[in-house]
Amino acid sequence: MNVNKKVVKKGLLPYVFLLLVMLGVIYFVSVANQKVNILTYDEFMSNLEDKEVNSIEVTPRDRAKVYEITGTLDNYAKNESFFVRIPLSDQVMKKLVEASERDNFEFVSNSDPESSTVLLILVNILPIVILAVFAFWFLSKQMGSGKNSFDFGKSKAKLSSEKNKVTFKDVAGLNEEKEEVKELIDFLKNPKKFQKLGARIPKGVLLYGPPGTGKTLLARAVAGEANVPFYYISGSDFVELFVGVGASRVRDMFQQAKRTAPCLIFIDEIDAVGRQRGTGIGGGHDEREQTLNQLLTEMDGFGENEGIIIIAATNRPDVLDPALLRPGRFDRQVTVNLPDVKGREEILKVHARNKVLAEGVNIPALAKRTPGYSGADLENLLNEAALLAVRRNKESITMSEIDEASDRVLMGPAKTSTKRSESDRKLVAYHESGHAVVGIKLKGASDVQKVTIIPRGSAGGYNMMIPSEEKICKTKTDLLEEITGLLAGRVSEEVVFGEVTTGAQNDFEKATKIARAMVTEYGMSDLGPMQLEEREGSAFLGRDYAKSRNFSNEVAHEIDQEMRKIIDKCYDEATKIIKENRDLLDLLANTLLEYETLTKEQIDYLVENGKMPNEDEETSYEKMSVTKLKQIAKEKGIKGYSKMNKAELVKELEK
């Protein structure tokens, strides 16, 4: 509510200013249209004796010892008046009063305005004050907002409050990383223990890894466990338009930290200010480089910063300046990787503390189904599931909401209202079933977790497959089977319909990348164990612009031949599997056309028994297609079923 009031106030300021300008213009225009005749004393007295005065207004000026008289004469127009100054004396005032009584014209007598202190201030001092305030406000808006508008060189580092205190209990899945930073906590709590043996604690710790893995959370937990002041700032807060401002802010940040040492300084996204100096096509960046130079000096220069430990985080360690990573600055570098299955389980339990989960939700099973998810992804997954449960008016979060949330995160919301022809649905069903059949039949292939023909995002359907076990390194057989599974959708289309479509475009893109990497990076071809291409190009010239090419044109032709050999071999293998298991392909495709979505348990049951498992009617409604739900609703005599969507049909059938 307060934010809205502030927005309203800021929105009204231009209109108030415009109104004042308009009033000023109207006033000056009206004054400009007034014709004022300056009379002498004799002329005024002559008009007074000739009874030509229509009205007068007398204002005494004691300091000048005159009367200032304004008024009108009988022959004046509406916008015409006169002005005259006459000596200040009782005799003159007496004549004016007598003339007014004699000729019966309007007579107004004012007091001396200079005799009122308040009026004197209003007239002479208030305009100057208003101009000064306006000038200060205008300059504040130009140079920055708020009370710190002129503190250009002051540090923007903020001190974390006790309310947001985080400990290692709030950090799940980073056991090795927590062990690495526990030394920092021991040093901050008892520095003499280290100094006694001449040990020097690392001055800086660099946390790097993929986005969302918990780097910032880990830094906050270190400060919370050590119970010391924790300053946090983003790398972009140092860089400004004016050269030297960032360096000034670095100096001020360390001065603040020295007053509260021992303490922690956390710099998030340090790559914004710590990039390599003198790089790029256009040369260096003076402001950023001066800021980096000051940071390097403060961390390990002539001055001592005892008791100050810097923790920085980035997901781009490859672009950092080498001087920033040398011993004496960021002595220790900790890789914060994506969590394994055990770490994901711990993270899910942490984020499930404030969620109301149904009895059927299996956290360990969910952790196995989410390889490659970061901590932020898992938090978002449970949050999306909670939102869906609220939208469906449920009192707890079930696996149905978690499955839907997972699909939303990966592919986007389901397009249930999209109308597709029966031939299109059949084509997608066989395409996705082809992926599933190859995944089921290949020994080292990934487990098929879910198959659906409900369109999401730009995909007409998709097949969720995860590795049977998480591996650090993949074998050549693993990669070949992955390519075979990707090509199975196109093979299924060709075997069943004798025609091919554009639906396999993304599958080909992935398969080609894997095949090229096998030849040029992994040495898994007849060309031998050679790295012919680097994975990434220059970080400053673009990923592909400066990509190295360490081979001749003849070798490039051989690379193409090897890639073709791998793709053809996998395509033939996929064709063989699809033809040998045509019955299973038809079974999966026909079941998909009826239910639209199949889970791992249903697929396993289909493979073993050749039919869907017997389920309670209440449970099966959500897994049926809209067409079948409408058919059941028609049989039960539900009114208006033809205009209902899937969620409304399920709700009506469950009553």
Side-chain angles (χ1 to χ4, degrees):
M1 193 67 183
N2 294 331
V3 175
N4 293 335
K5 288 182 179 179
K6 289 180 181 178
V7 172
V8 170
K9 287 179 182 178
K10 288 182 179 179
L12 287 176
L13 281 176
Y15 296 103
V16 172
F17 181 73
L18 181 62
L19 178 62
L20 292 174
V21 171
M22 291 177 63
L23 291 175
V25 171
I26 293 170
Y27 172 75
F28 284 113
V29 169
S30 63
V31 170
N33 291 332
Q34 290 290 330
K35 183 180 179 182
V36 180
N37 300 314
I38 307 299
L39 302 180
T40 64
Y41 174 74
D42 293 336
E43 288 174 342
F44 172 70
M45 296 305 294
S46 175
N47 288 325
L48 191 65
E49 290 175 0
D50 294 342
K51 300 180 180 181
E52 294 178 356
V53 177
N54 189 26
S55 65
I56 61 173
E57 183 176 348
V58 181
T59 303
R61 298 289 182 179
D62 293 335
R63 288 187 179 183
K65 295 183 179 181
V66 295
Y67 285 117
E68 291 183 351
I69 301 176
T70 58
T72 59
L73 300 180
D74 290 337
N75 58 350
Y76 277 9
K78 288 184 179 181
N79 62 339
E80 193 174 2
S81 63
F82 68 82
F83 175 80
V84 62
R85 284 191 177 95
I86 62 176
L88 182 67
S89 68
D90 294 337
Q91 291 180 356
V92 173
M93 181 57 72
K94 186 177 180 181
K95 285 182 181 181
L96 293 176
V97 173
E98 289 176 353
S100 173
E101 292 175 352
R102 182 190 67 208
D103 301 333
N104 195 26
F105 60 78
E106 184 180 353
F107 179 84
V108 178
S109 178
N110 298 326
S111 60
D112 186 0
E114 295 181 355
S115 63
S116 173
T117 306
V118 176
L119 187 61
L120 181 66
I121 293 173
L122 290 175
V123 173
N124 297 310
I125 300 176
L126 188 61
I128 298 174
V129 173
I130 292 174
L131 286 174
V133 171
F134 176 77
F136 180 80
W137 174 80
F138 181 77
L139 289 173
S140 299
K141 289 295 181 183
Q142 293 298 314
M143 297 186 68
S145 60
K147 61 183 180 181
N148 296 323
S149 57
F150 293 100
D151 295 341
F152 234 30
K154 296 293 183 182
S155 170
K156 291 188 177 182
K158 298 176 183 177
L159 185 62
S160 180
S161 62
E162 287 291 326
K163 295 180 181 178
N164 300 323
K165 188 175 180 180
V166 176
T167 63
F168 282 158
K169 293 181 181 179
D170 303 305
V171 182
L174 298 175
N175 298 325
E176 291 80 9
E177 291 81 356
K178 283 189 281 189
E179 289 294 330
E180 283 288 321
V181 296
K182 276 185 178 178
E183 277 185 9
L184 304 180
I185 300 170
D186 293 338
F187 174 78
L188 291 169
K189 287 182 175 179
N190 188 11
K192 293 182 180 179
K193 182 175 70 172
F194 292 84
Q195 295 167 356
K196 184 179 179 181
L197 297 178
R200 180 181 61 82
I201 201 70
K203 291 186 178 181
V205 176
L206 180 67
L207 306 176
Y208 64 89
T213 49
K215 298 182 290 293
T216 304
L217 186 66
L218 183 60
R220 291 177 59 191
V222 172
E225 290 287 339
N227 197 24
V228 296
F230 178 66
Y231 295 92
Y232 59 96
I233 189 172
S234 172
S236 59
D237 287 333
F238 292 111
V239 183
E240 281 288 352
L241 174 65
F242 305 105
V243 176
V245 174
S248 175
R249 288 178 178 172
V250 171
R251 288 191 295 270
D252 187 67
M253 179 179 70
F254 276 89
Q255 287 174 4
Q256 289 183 29
K258 286 176 184 177
R259 299 188 195 107
T260 57
C263 65
L264 276 171
I265 297 176
F266 176 64
I267 305 176
D268 200 9
E269 304 298 343
I270 195 173
D271 53 275
V273 72
R275 288 184 171 229
Q276 293 181 25
R277 291 165 289 182
T279 52
I281 296 176
H285 187 293
D286 287 341
E287 162 61 2
R288 191 181 68 234
E289 290 186 5
Q290 283 198 21
T291 306
L292 175 58
N293 290 338
Q294 186 63 44
L295 181 61
L296 296 174
T297 304
E298 293 288 346
M299 288 187 70
D300 188 23
F302 287 103
E304 291 292 332
N305 290 315
E306 292 297 333
I308 301 175
I309 295 177
I310 301 177
I311 300 178
T314 181
N315 49 31
R316 294 289 308 280
D318 55 311
V319 304
L320 296 180
D321 194 281
L324 199 62
L325 304 178
R326 74 158 176 82
R329 286 173 182 145
F330 284 104
D331 306 78
R332 184 168 297 178
Q333 299 175 27
V334 180
T335 306
V336 185
N337 283 320
L338 293 170
D340 57 7
V341 62
K342 184 180 178 182
R344 292 196 298 272
E345 183 179 344
E346 293 175 1
I347 293 170
L348 285 168
K349 287 179 179 178
V350 169
H351 293 306
R353 288 174 186 170
N354 60 342
K355 304 287 191 302
V356 182
L357 301 179
E359 293 182 0
V361 176
N362 189 341
I363 294 293
L366 182 59
K368 292 179 181 179
R369 291 173 49 186
T370 51
Y373 276 57
S374 66
D377 292 332
L378 295 171
E379 181 187 12
N380 185 43
L381 174 65
L382 291 182
N383 185 62
E384 285 288 339
L387 293 174
L388 281 170
V390 173
R391 203 176 303 163
R392 293 175 177 178
N393 297 319
K394 292 189 176 182
E395 295 182 357
S396 60
I397 303 169
T398 65
M399 282 304 296
S400 174
E401 282 76 44
I402 293 176
D403 286 339
E404 176 65 19
S406 178
D407 295 342
R408 278 172 170 266
V409 171
L410 291 173
M411 306 292 293
K415 298 180 179 179
T416 53
S417 60
T418 302
K419 292 183 178 180
R420 295 187 297 174
S421 63
E422 195 61 32
S423 60
D424 192 24
R425 292 179 72 249
K426 187 175 182 181
L427 183 69
V428 174
Y430 271 97
H431 181 100
E432 300 302 333
S433 298
H435 289 304
V437 168
V438 173
I440 292 167
K441 293 301 177 180
L442 284 178
K443 295 180 180 179
S446 301
D447 291 335
V448 181
Q449 295 292 321
K450 187 176 186 179
V451 185
T452 180
I453 59 172
I454 298 175
R456 290 179 183 271
S458 59
Y462 76 96
N463 193 327
M464 183 189 293
M465 301 174 68
I466 65 172
S468 54
E469 58 181 10
E470 295 185 31
K471 299 178 181 179
I472 298 176
C473 297
K474 290 186 177 181
T475 64
K476 182 178 180 180
T477 303
D478 293 335
L479 295 174
L480 290 173
E481 289 183 348
E482 190 173 345
I483 295 174
T484 305
L486 289 168
L487 298 175
R490 164 60 68 87
V491 171
S492 179
E493 294 175 9
E494 194 172 1
V495 169
V496 176
F497 302 101
E499 186 63 83
V500 293
T501 69
T502 59
Q505 181 265 336
N506 186 248
D507 297 333
F508 293 158
E509 181 182 349
K510 294 177 181 178
T512 305
K513 284 183 179 179
I514 296 171
R516 188 169 190 86
M518 289 176 67
V519 177
T520 61
E521 296 178 36
Y522 307 144
M524 296 180 177
S525 70
D526 293 340
L527 293 180
M530 299 170 61
Q531 187 182 34
L532 301 171
E533 286 182 351
E534 293 182 7
R535 180 177 292 273
E536 295 180 350
S538 170
F540 303 99
L541 298 178
R543 295 294 182 191
D544 299 318
Y545 180 77
K547 192 172 183 180
S548 62
R549 186 173 181 265
N550 302 322
F551 47 83
S552 63
N553 292 331
E554 289 77 9
V555 175
H557 178 65
E558 292 181 13
I559 290 173
D560 293 338
Q561 287 183 323
E562 290 297 320
M563 287 175 59
R564 168 61 59 190
K565 192 186 298 182
I566 291 172
I567 295 292
D568 288 345
K569 179 182 177 182
C570 293
Y571 197 89
D572 293 340
E573 180 67 17
T575 305
K576 179 183 176 183
I577 294 172
I578 291 294
K579 287 181 177 179
E580 290 177 354
N581 298 276
R582 178 62 190 270
D583 293 340
L584 178 59
L585 178 70
D586 293 334
L587 176 63
L588 287 173
N590 292 328
T591 310
L592 267 177
L593 288 170
E594 182 178 358
Y595 289 88
E596 290 189 332
T597 300
L598 296 176
T599 62
K600 175 177 170 54
E601 293 76 16
Q602 292 171 327
I603 293 171
D604 292 342
Y605 193 90
L606 270 172
V607 173
E608 292 180 8
N609 302 284
K611 62 178 182 178
M612 286 288 284
N614 294 324
E615 297 175 331
D616 295 332
E617 189 179 53
E618 182 180 358
T619 307
S620 63
Y621 285 148
E622 291 186 357
K623 298 175 182 178
M624 293 182 183
S625 65
V626 177
T627 305
K628 186 167 184 179
L629 289 172
K630 288 183 178 180
Q631 183 180 353
I632 297 173
K634 182 179 179 181
E635 294 172 357
K636 291 191 174 185
I638 296 175
K639 296 180 180 179
Y641 69 90
S642 59
K643 297 181 180 179
M644 296 181 184
N645 57 31
K646 186 172 182 178
E648 293 170 340
L649 285 166
V650 171
K651 189 175 180 181
E652 287 295 324
L653 291 170
E654 287 178 349
K655 288 183 179 179

